[in-house]
Amino acid sequence: MDMEIKRVGIIGAGQMGSGIAQVCATAGLDVLLNDRDPNRLENGLAAVDGGLSRLVSKGTIDETESRAIRGRIKPAHSFADLGPADLVIEAATENEATKRDIFSSLCASLRPDAIVATNTSSISITRLAAATDRPERFIGIHFMNPVPVMQLVELIRGIATEDSTYESAKAFIAKLGKISTMSEDFPAFIVNRILLPMINEAIYTLYEGVGSVESIDTAMKLGANHPMGPLQLADFIGLDTCLSVMQVLYEGLADSKYRPCPLLVKYVEAGWLGRKAKRGFYDYRGPTPIPTR
Ligand SMILES: NC(=O)c1ccc[n+]([C@@H]2O[C@H](COP(=O)([O-])OP(=O)(O)OC[C@H]3O[C@@H](n4cnc5c(N)ncnc54)[C@H](O)[C@@H]3O)[C@@H](O)[C@H]2O)c1
């Protein structure tokens, strides 16, 4: 039976989890936001406050609407607090072991008919579903970054996902005012299968000295009409997430063309994860971003 989603639980209050919370609450849904790190949870709620203030200053919503939206988002300090949710979306770090651990401890707290979804950028939905007690009520709901701005959401069915789960997820995305596409359960689905090898190639171009950070980004902005350069975009996505997606493509498709660039590995090892760490291919600690190479 299709289920109307009214209350959404979100696990992971990072850049994606906080954005998903904001769009769900804006669509009138109640949101329970969880993170294992209380500071990240606070930062996630502060990011929603920041996002809503920007909309108020642009005149998109007024103060009263902003307060009502914010009032629909409650912190959830444990998975037990997610019990009343109709749908729980996992948006934690892009690491298969982390996600599997979450699913194996989460399900006992949920109603048997609750839908469980993952916002993974690349990991097999079928494998993640196997870590739950409800593979037929499990689906990939892949939002794009920044969630409040981007129109697309990819829906990915695992081998066991029931039609009713897919239909409920599709109706949920429509309620958020977004457009969904269906992708089969292959490594990195559609958007990241195409986008991440392009970003990885831009990092190789930098690594081999073909061009500087600025030249590569300017070349792709002005020469290919991309709104953002690929290295700027990599920083925006998070270099740990980029590396993880490339590893999933490399291992999942067993093709050397997906080999993560060693320079990407080095940046991640240094903790230079992009905007969220204030340093990546650009240094964001000053008033304007400065290329790091
Ligand atoms: N960044 C992007 O552009 C983008 C786009 C689409 C999808 N995604 C996917 O969304 C997910 C989150 O990415 P992000 O960019 O928001 O990462 P992020 O690093 O900003 O946030 C991840 C959050 O997950 C929390 N977390 C980790 N383990 C947890 C656990 N066991 N329980 C609860 N919380 C936990 C961390 O504390 C952190 O706050 C990843 O799967 C990523 O691939 C990212």
Side-chain angles (χ1 to χ4, degrees):
M1 209 178 51
D2 299 3
M3 179 199 272
E4 190 191 345
I5 310 293
K6 295 187 178 138
R7 192 169 287 138
V8 183
I10 299 167
I11 298 175
Q15 37 183 0
M16 295 307 290
S18 58
I20 298 167
Q22 184 181 320
V23 297
C24 289
T26 302
L29 306 173
D30 289 324
V31 176
L32 297 159
L33 183 60
N34 167 269
D35 200 290
R36 69 170 168 198
D37 177 343
N39 292 327
R40 298 297 297 256
L41 181 52
E42 234 170 75
N43 291 344
L45 291 168
V48 175
D49 291 336
L52 292 175
S53 311
R54 276 192 296 280
L55 292 179
V56 171
S57 55
K58 278 201 254 167
T60 315
I61 53 172
D62 62 29
E63 281 289 356
T64 315
E65 285 169 301
S66 168
R67 267 196 303 278
I69 294 167
R70 185 61 182 78
R72 286 193 278 274
I73 306 175
K74 306 269 179 330
H77 299 289
S78 69
F79 291 165
D81 291 346
L82 300 176
D86 303 311
L87 164 70
V88 174
I89 303 171
E90 170 278 313
T93 313
E94 185 74 350
N95 175 288
E96 185 163 342
T98 303
K99 291 184 189 291
R100 292 180 73 94
D101 282 351
I102 289 173
F103 294 128
S104 51
S105 49
L106 166 73
C107 289
S109 305
L110 304 182
R111 289 200 320 265
D113 63 339
I115 295 174
V116 179
T118 175
N119 187 48
T120 180
S121 300
S122 59
I123 302 167
S124 161
I125 303 305
T126 301
R127 272 207 312 276
L128 292 177
T132 73
D133 60 0
R134 62 192 76 197
E136 65 292 340
R137 305 286 289 160
F138 190 89
I139 190 163
I141 302 185
H142 180 216
F143 287 87
M144 308 292 132
N145 186 16
V147 184
V149 175
M150 301 297 278
Q151 277 288 290
L152 183 77
V153 178
E154 279 185 299
L155 293 177
I156 310 106
R157 295 175 71 148
I159 197 166
T161 309
E162 274 176 356
D163 288 348
S164 62
T165 304
Y166 173 68
E167 292 303 332
S168 302
K170 203 171 153 190
F172 161 69
I173 296 308
K175 193 166 186 181
L176 302 185
K178 299 202 179 285
I179 309 294
S180 57
T181 52
M182 232 301 272
S183 159
E184 294 300 327
D185 188 14
F186 272 74
F189 323 125
I190 295 174
V191 173
N192 286 334
R193 168 83 177 260
I194 299 168
L195 182 63
L196 264 295
M198 191 271 291
I199 288 175
N200 195 48
E201 200 59 30
I203 303 170
Y204 268 113
T205 310
L206 177 68
Y207 179 58
E208 290 168 9
V210 182
S212 65
V213 168
E214 250 176 343
S215 307
I216 293 165
D217 277 348
T218 304
M220 292 306 285
K221 275 194 284 191
L222 303 185
N225 220 10
H226 288 194
M228 255 186 186
L231 300 172
Q232 193 188 0
L233 180 57
D235 274 359
F236 190 67
I237 293 170
L239 301 190
D240 52 340
T241 300
C242 292
L243 176 58
S244 184
V245 174
M246 287 312 298
Q247 281 162 339
V248 168
L249 281 168
Y250 185 54
E251 284 156 24
L253 297 167
D255 189 330
S256 63
K257 75 178 177 182
Y258 298 113
R259 186 171 75 104
C261 178
L263 187 62
L264 173 60
V265 176
K266 199 176 270 186
Y267 268 63
V268 172
E269 284 172 351
W272 293 10
L273 304 182
R275 289 191 82 102
K276 64 185 171 187
K278 302 225 178 301
R279 212 176 335 182
F281 292 111
Y282 294 85
D283 187 330
Y284 300 93
R285 290 170 299 172
T288 49
I290 298 168
T292 51
R293 286 176 93 82

